[in-house]
Amino acid sequence: MNRYATQLYNLAPVWGQNLILTGYSTLLDRERYGGRFGEFRDLLEKAEWYSESELIAYQDERLRATVAHAYNTVPFYRQRFDGCKLKPADIRGQEDLPKIPLLTREDVRSHFDELRSRDVDRNSMKTGHTSGTTGTPLTVGYDANTIWMAYAALDRHYRWAGCRLANDGDRIAVARGNVIVPLDQKRPPFWRMNRRHNQLLLSSFHLSKQNLPGYFEALACFKPAVLDGYPSTLYVLAKFLQSRGETFPIRAAITSSETLYDFQREVIEERFKCRVFDYYALAERVIFSSECDRHEGHHLAMEYGVSEVVDGEGRPVSSGTVGKLVGTSLHNNAMPLIRYVTSDMTSVRTKPCSCGRGLRMMDDVTTKAEDLLTLKDGRLISPSVLTHPFKPLDCIEGSQIVQTDPQTVIVRLIPGPTYTQAHTDHLITELTARLGADVKVEVQMVDQLEQKSSGKFKWVISHVPLGI
Ligand SMILES: [Zn+2]
């Protein structure tokens, strides 16, 4: 929603907010489920049963088209290919991909315009923002095909979980990062309805011991088939059920956006009496992977992109060896990302899944472990929801969130050259909107960010003991 729609939303009564959410979802429908969505959904339904070699042949054909398109219409790639004396004809398939230099997050940040295809109208290009938990926001561009393909992949994930997404879909309770309930609201309802998609949207910002019984009353009325959210949020809900010795049976729990730990999966499955179906996707839309009902690892959506796992030098590692995950989109003509390096680690498996699908297998993806924040009023805040205020600010070169006590959150920040006071104001406003007026948010400019003794970077650090 834009700023004015958000203001209108915040002023509206609960019934009005439900109406706005439903109307907004109707508007988004065309972007997500219109155009070639049906064609991609049918392709994915058929292609999951192709053999691995048929899937590779499909990928190679799309890859050759993507590379030719990039060379002919994207200034960045023309220059990069010419610089390495490469021609599109040198890339016959994915085995030739290592000839192309890796594309880093920094490349995309500093060459956004040169990465845009001159063949695609600038106004028709959609943009997406991400910061994940890297602390460095990034903007990427994509065309309509990319979005339809991404929703077709999500639709398949729901189908594998025995559920239906979108129109005529199942009843879905969603616990993700959008601020759908004003933070100063102290009494239920801490949820809103998107009737268009049969969704009960649960606020991720009011999860305290005191409020949780109300959440379960709303869930009991709504009777969801599916609970879809961050693993850390679903874990908070499941731990609450556990503390009361209760269960809440549903058909499937769907998780994404954070590492799903075994201890979380166990409690969620035990308390919701269902299996957890995890999927992995990126805002850069180069890789999508998901668990089927055998839960033997993630199937890579090979129709969506080409994935590689590489070592520190950018060389592909052998199956079973952990490395950096690298992805190439096969459908994004607006801003083709070729060999884009993610910040996540995994390994590829050679052993196929017992379900018989030809889609390659990958181990669970390890993103970095972040802390949950515990606030004074007992609310638990998932690290993923804190990424949202940072997403549009690609003038930030690095950031880190440190909670020093239940009422103080410090944002350490390395500003880029175009960073201004207005960006600090935006961060304080947006973080306060999520954490509450009684939490003091302080922004500190720093030259470098704190690393753990292991050398790993942690984006959210909390010094407050977890309240569950
Ligand atoms: Zn499988």
Side-chain angles (χ1 to χ4, degrees), residues 292 294 299 353 355 357:
C292 75
R294 303 297 171 98
H299 279 284
C353 181
C355 70
R357 292 182 177 91

Side-chain angles (χ1 to χ4, degrees), residues 158 161-163 170-175 200 202 215-216 218-229 233-235 237-238 241 246-255 265 267-277:
Y158 264 71
C163 305
D170 280 309
R171 299 171 82 80
I172 306 170
V174 182
L200 178 73
L202 303 169
Y215 277 78
F216 280 97
L219 284 166
C221 279
F222 180 66
K223 299 185 180 60
V226 190
L227 186 53
D228 181 329
T233 308
L234 266 52
Y235 178 68
L237 294 172
L241 286 172
E246 292 173 4
T247 58
F248 188 95
I250 54 175
R251 205 184 307 152
I254 290 182
T255 55
R265 187 193 288 271
V267 182
I268 296 167
E269 292 192 341
E270 177 191 287
R271 293 296 146 183
F272 288 101
K273 296 271 173 211
C274 67
R275 298 304 303 268
V276 173
F277 291 78

